[in-house]
Amino acid sequence: MLSDELSDASREVARQRIHTVGYVGVTLGVGLLVLLAVGYLRSSPSDPVAPSVTQSALESSDYSSKRRDQAKDLLKMFALDLEPRFDFANLSEWAPEALDAISSFKEEAVLAFSAGDYNQAIGVIRKAEVIAKETLVQWEENFSENYLASLSHFGNNESDVAGLKIDKALVFKPTDPAALKLRQRIDVLPKVRDLLSEARVAKIENNPRKEYRALSEILGVDPQRTELRSRIRALEAEISEENFNLLIQKGFGAVDDRDLRQARSYLNSALDIYPDRGEGKNLRDKVERLGEEVALETALAEAKQAISRDDWPGALVIFQKAIKSHPDDGYLVDQTMIASKIVSLSKAIAGFVAMHQRLSSRNVFLLAERALKEVSEIADRSSSLSVKSNKLRGFLGEYDRPVDVVVRSDNHTHISVRGVGEVGVVEKKSIRLKPGVYTFEGKRSGFRSRLLNVEIGLYQTSVDVELICNEQI
């Protein structure tokens, strides 16, 4: 609540003021103690024996050294403790005369110190301290006065006066988080006033949606108005109840019209509001039954269209989805099996065609022949499957056709074809091999053995191979 904010702000301002005044008091107290100590040293009784001229000079030198140290400490304390606060306190904006006086006194103190006039340096720097500390106290009071006044006027919805006061407060503390936040809230206060008025009218008109929009917009521009949250929650509950009942009514109407898409939309929206209400469960049962009926009709129509386009993978997906809801439908079971077989064989035939080089392997060749036999039973159902099958038959014919291979050697090297058989020790010999990759091996006693890989192309008519072991061991 704004009254709480005002109370909190007052306590915080008081705390800061006590801190600043306390700081000034402590600093002045420390300075006073230093002066008393110096005075005591100067007035302390001397040795009962009359001092000599030498002793008097020593005491004078010692006193001067102490005054020098005292002046040095005061200048240092001023530079480290007070001067850094001048920029933060923004003195150049609201107290330029005080800042000039402080700077002038400090400069005079530094010059006196440099000239060895330590008493003068101490006196002048203390004047600078007094002005600085009084100015800092005034700085804190000026900020506090204007900030609290602005907060009070803000609570009374007086945006103009509140704005003037917070602007004055920001002159003293331009970066104060609380003041900057209050400035933002004052900027939107006119809009907040209008929205509050709109919300009051909406409440009188019994229009919860309009009232909810106005209050929600207020929180959007001024989130600190937490007192509105309880009313917003009550309005949310009232609006949700109204929305839920309307959605349920429309959902049952859509089921009666067999408009599945609209019925599901109303159901989902209603369940988003109250997922466990009995009305929602009743509507869900009716929508699910309608969905099963429509899904089967739609699936059969879509599958028929897919088959007419020779899109058996698409038809299979449709059948598989439909059979989950109708596992006992005999027609769906049969069509799913046919579609699955056509898709599977089509992939297998396409794989054989794409990698036809593998048909040079006898095992792969036999697998391809077996696939073609299965295709013959259903090829008339898919034109693309027939085309792929015919292409595969062409490849099988080519890979089953032997090619003449002329093997040449030195009549000393024993030659064999791995996985096929022996060629023997020959000078020249013709053999026949089907297309594929073969490894010819040459051996000869006392010579290093040799391996030679030979690829017989699909459409080659003859191949020459020369293999001689001529590297002695």
Side-chain angles (χ1 to χ4, degrees), residues 349 352 359 363-372 392 396:
I349 299 299
F352 288 128
L359 295 173
N363 290 335
V364 177
F365 188 94
L366 293 175
L367 288 174
E369 282 190 325
R370 186 183 308 164
L372 284 177
L392 178 58
L396 289 178

Side-chain angles (χ1 to χ4, degrees), residues 89-326:
N90 205 23
L91 296 187
S92 61
E93 290 294 325
W94 65 275
E97 297 87 355
L99 183 60
D100 290 343
I102 294 167
S103 301
S104 178
F105 279 132
K106 184 202 171 182
E107 183 178 352
E108 183 180 343
V110 171
L111 291 174
F113 182 88
S114 301
D117 191 349
Y118 305 126
N119 288 331
Q120 176 69 10
I122 291 171
V124 174
I125 197 64
R126 288 200 181 283
K127 291 180 181 179
E129 280 185 11
V130 170
I131 297 174
K133 291 168 184 175
E134 289 177 351
T135 305
L136 289 175
V137 170
Q138 186 62 47
W139 163 68
E140 188 66 57
E141 290 178 349
N142 289 346
F143 170 78
S144 303
E145 178 184 347
N146 285 283
Y147 175 76
L148 292 176
S150 177
L151 194 60
S152 177
H153 288 294
F154 176 80
N156 294 328
N157 288 330
E158 299 167 353
S159 57
D160 292 339
V161 181
L164 292 174
K165 291 295 183 180
I166 198 61
D167 287 341
K168 288 184 179 179
L170 287 169
V171 169
F172 300 101
K173 292 187 179 182
T175 60
D176 184 79
L180 291 172
K181 185 176 291 184
L182 181 56
R183 173 73 267 184
Q184 292 176 346
R185 298 186 69 191
I186 293 171
D187 288 341
V188 300
L189 183 56
K191 183 175 183 179
V192 169
R193 282 201 306 260
D194 293 343
L195 289 170
L196 285 172
S197 176
E198 182 180 332
R200 285 192 292 270
V201 171
K203 186 175 184 180
I204 295 172
E205 295 174 346
N206 193 25
N207 189 336
R209 297 176 188 275
K210 183 178 178 181
E211 183 184 357
Y212 175 80
R213 282 195 300 270
L215 295 181
S216 297
E217 192 172 348
I218 291 173
L219 278 186
V221 297
D222 189 358
Q224 289 184 265
R225 291 185 177 270
T226 55
E227 69 276 7
L228 302 178
R229 294 190 184 279
S230 59
R231 178 57 182 169
I232 289 176
R233 285 193 294 269
L235 290 169
E236 285 176 342
E238 183 179 347
I239 294 170
S240 294
E241 184 71 28
E242 182 180 327
N243 288 342
F244 178 79
N245 293 331
L246 182 61
L247 288 167
I248 292 295
Q249 180 183 348
K250 290 184 175 181
F252 281 117
V255 170
D256 293 340
D257 296 338
R258 295 185 64 79
D259 188 344
L260 179 61
R261 184 190 63 80
Q262 198 65 54
R264 282 175 173 166
S265 176
Y266 290 136
L267 172 64
N268 291 333
S269 297
L271 294 180
D272 285 340
I273 300 173
Y274 295 123
D276 299 322
R277 287 278 189 92
E279 303 95 316
K281 293 178 181 179
N282 292 337
L283 177 59
R284 180 170 54 201
D285 292 341
K286 285 187 173 292
V287 171
E288 287 177 353
R289 285 195 293 272
L290 176 62
E292 292 175 359
E293 297 171 6
V294 174
L296 181 59
E297 297 169 1
T298 304
L300 294 177
E302 290 178 349
K304 185 176 181 180
Q305 291 179 358
I307 292 172
S308 68
R309 299 190 303 267
D310 198 23
D311 179 14
W312 284 96
L316 177 59
V317 171
I318 295 170
F319 286 137
Q320 288 174 334
K321 184 178 179 181
I323 205 170
K324 290 179 181 179
S325 302
H326 304 82

